[in-house]
């Protein structure tokens, strides 16, 4: 029982980051039908902001977290304006290729101006602390990540459900042209979707970077892939599905890490992908299909 | 109020409308009838801003509006009730009305929502029901109410009676008549041509992407050469 609870806490901590990223990916997919592979670049930009802030300017993690958060929103909006606005209305495949293009451009930018080597920055000193609760070892970083994720999701749910802005966003996600006929401005609603997705990615980036303490040009690749997988596992386009997919992915990872034989632990991601492949054989529509679930 | 001059709209190289001209005066019901594939929906979508015309002009209250976006057209006072209604099926009746009023202020929106419930009492009873769970008649009433939420001066309706039981068809056409009496202007596309011409003031007949006849609705009803438009098939085909 203790092992189960321990696994659940660790998995929720890891899954929180995936859930936040997946939610942003699902939101943008809903509005634009774009599977945004460039979403992970919010983490990459956040990593270099963290390096500059913590190492070069010697600012605190509190200030750094705020800078990462707003940096993620800014890069998300800039990517929409510079790259996606010009291919809006094109084939889905064109937009997909554009998102790959953005990934390569951002990575090349950092290789040119910051170098390809890993740049480490200090992690918060509390990030390694562990609380002993009975037989459980609860990582402070896990508790803080889960708490921040819960608050972020609650705020997002409130905004989407209770505000005119959120209602417009959900309407545009369900039927973009019908929303335009109601008076929803397409440029504005898409920009808003990228702001919300950037904000969610900003929160995810803060806690991801607190764990890794590293900046490199490809640092956003792994969380982006996990976020996209979580969104697909949840049922692409479904808000609740994306969040659920993130937590399921996180818990699956932690379970496999704990239970796989030692010589296979290095292949955890490969085994996770194999599980996901198997999952889609039996449930190709995802955990909460859009028809049944709440579309973004 | 609405003037369309020589409008041509293409899907790629194929012209779905060729040099169509028509006009709609204030507080008038104008019908647009014709067989399937004639270009009726394309015409409404071109006027509402969903499609960009290749040639021609559209004037709304004297202002040139061809190529304007749907939200710009809505703000100019033109609303479209689209074919198949296109309600937000995952959202409640209340939320559908709310989004219909996105272009007006909060106070006016609340007032318009009250008016919609007065006009369509069934929507008040289904306030929290998801639009995807409404019956055909309820859904059509919501589609019209949602369009009214922007307080438009002119309403384009695309196949408002599509898929409805005969009793509900009467309800919809009564509604069309009532909206005109309340000062709205309507351009209505309808497969049920005979029924539409009973409430319309004037009508245009669109066949193979061009206007082939126009006139007072009562006169068009007498036209034998429009048999295929009224019956939905050419004369002689399936008569026995």
């Amino acid at each position: 029982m203790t092992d189960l609870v321990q696994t659940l806490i660790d998995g929720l901590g890891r899954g929180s980051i995936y859930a936040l990223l997946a939610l942003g990916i699902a939101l943008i997919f809903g509005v634009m039908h774009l599977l945004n592979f460039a979403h992970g670049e919010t983490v990459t930009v956040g990593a270099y902001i963290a390096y500059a802030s913590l190492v070069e300017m010697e600012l605190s993690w509190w200030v750094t977290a705020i800078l990462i958060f707003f940096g993620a929103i800014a890069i998300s909006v800039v990517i929409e304006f510079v790259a996606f606005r010009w291919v809006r209305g094109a084939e889905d495949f064109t937009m997909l290729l554009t998102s790959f293009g953005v990934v390569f451009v951002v990575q090349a930018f950092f290789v040119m101006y910051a170098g390809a080597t890993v740049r480490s920055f200090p992690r918060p000193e509390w990030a390694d602390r562990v609380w002993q609760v009975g037989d459980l070892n609860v990582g402070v970083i896990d508790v803080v990540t889960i708490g921040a994720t819960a608050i972020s999701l609650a705020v997002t749910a409130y905004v989407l459900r209770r505000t005119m802005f959120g209602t417009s966003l959900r309407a545009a996600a369900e039927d973009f042209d019908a929303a335009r006929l109601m008076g929803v401005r397409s440029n504005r609603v898409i920009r808003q979707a990228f702001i919300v997705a950037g904000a969610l990615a900003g929160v995810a980036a803060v806690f991801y970077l607190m764990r890794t303490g590293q900046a490199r040009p490809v640092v956003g690749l792994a969380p982006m892939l996990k976020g996209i997988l979580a969104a697909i596992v949840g049922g692409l386009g479904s808000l609740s599905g994306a969040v659920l997919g993130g937590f399921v992915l996180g818990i699956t990872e932690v379970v496999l890490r704990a239970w796989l034989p030692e010589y296979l632990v290095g292949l955890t991601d490969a085994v996770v992908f194999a599980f996901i492949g198997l999952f889609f054989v039996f449930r190709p529509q995802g955990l909460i299909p859009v028809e049944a679930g709440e579309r973004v | 109020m609405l003037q369309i001059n020589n409008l041509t709209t293409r899907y790629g190289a194929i012209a779905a409308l060729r040099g169509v001209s028509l006009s709609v005066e204030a507080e008038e019901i104008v019908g647009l009838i014709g067989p399937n594939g004639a270009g009726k929906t394309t015409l409404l979508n071109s006027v509402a801003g969903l499609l960009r015309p290749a040639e021609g002009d559209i004037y709304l209250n004297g202002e040139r509006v061809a190529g304007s976006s749907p939200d710009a057209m809505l703000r100019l006072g033109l609303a479209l009730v689209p074919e198949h209604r296109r309600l937000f099926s995952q959202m409640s009746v209340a939320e559908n009305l709310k989004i219909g009023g996105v272009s007006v202020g909060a106070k006016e929106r609340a007032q318009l929502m009250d008016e919609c419930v007065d006009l369509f009492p069934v929507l008040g009873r289904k306030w929290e029901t998801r639009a995807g769970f409404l019956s055909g008649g309820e859904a059509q009433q919501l589609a019209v109410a949602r369009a009214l939420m922007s307080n438009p001066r002119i309403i384009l309706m695309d196949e408002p009676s599509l898929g409805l039981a005969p009793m509900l068809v009467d309800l919809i056409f009564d509604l069309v008549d009532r909206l005109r009496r309340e000062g709205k202007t309507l351009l209505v596309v309808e497969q049920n041509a005979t029924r539409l011409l009973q409430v319309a003031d004037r009508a245009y007949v669109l066949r193979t992407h061009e206007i082939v006849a126009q006139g007072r609705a009562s006169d068009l009803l007498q036209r034998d050469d429009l048999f295929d438009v009224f019956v939905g098939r050419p004369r002689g085909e399936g008569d026995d």
Side-chain angles (χ1 to χ4, degrees), chain A residues 160-172 174-188 290-295, chain B residues 45 48-50 69-71 74-75 78-80 82 85-92 95-96 98-103 109 130 146-147 150:
Chain A
L160 289 178
R161 288 222 151 269
R162 301 286 173 209
T163 67
M164 197 67 224
F165 153 65
T167 309
S168 302
L169 211 54
R170 286 161 55 218
E174 185 169 336
D175 186 336
F176 192 71
D177 277 343
R180 292 173 72 209
L181 284 173
M182 298 303 110
V184 173
R185 291 185 162 115
S186 52
N187 280 346
R188 182 184 290 182
V290 172
E291 292 79 14
E294 174 196 6
R295 186 143 189 174
Chain B
N45 286 343
L50 281 177
S69 64
D71 59 87
L74 192 90
R75 284 172 173 82
L78 183 143
L80 170 67
R85 301 163 197 130
R86 294 177 75 165
L87 296 172
F88 303 109
S89 61
Q90 302 293 328
M91 295 165 68
S92 69
E95 286 176 322
N96 268 274
K98 188 175 163 189
I99 197 72
V102 73
S103 60
R109 186 161 56 238
R130 277 192 193 180
R146 191 180 62 170
S150 64

Side-chain angles (χ1 to χ4, degrees), chain A residues 193-204:
Chain A
F194 274 84
I195 288 171
V196 173
L200 292 166
V203 177

Side-chain angles (χ1 to χ4, degrees), chain B residues 87-133:
Chain B
L87 296 172
F88 303 109
S89 61
Q90 302 293 328
M91 295 165 68
S92 69
V93 167
E95 286 176 322
N96 268 274
L97 291 178
K98 188 175 163 189
I99 197 72
V102 73
S103 60
V104 299
K107 197 174 170 186
E108 188 180 358
R109 186 161 56 238
Q111 189 186 333
L112 286 164
M113 281 172 109
D114 288 342
E115 286 175 19
C116 282
V117 172
D118 289 342
L119 192 59
F120 306 101
V122 67
L123 299 182
R125 293 194 294 274
K126 302 266 181 173
W127 199 241
E128 293 299 331
T129 305
R130 277 192 193 180
F133 293 128

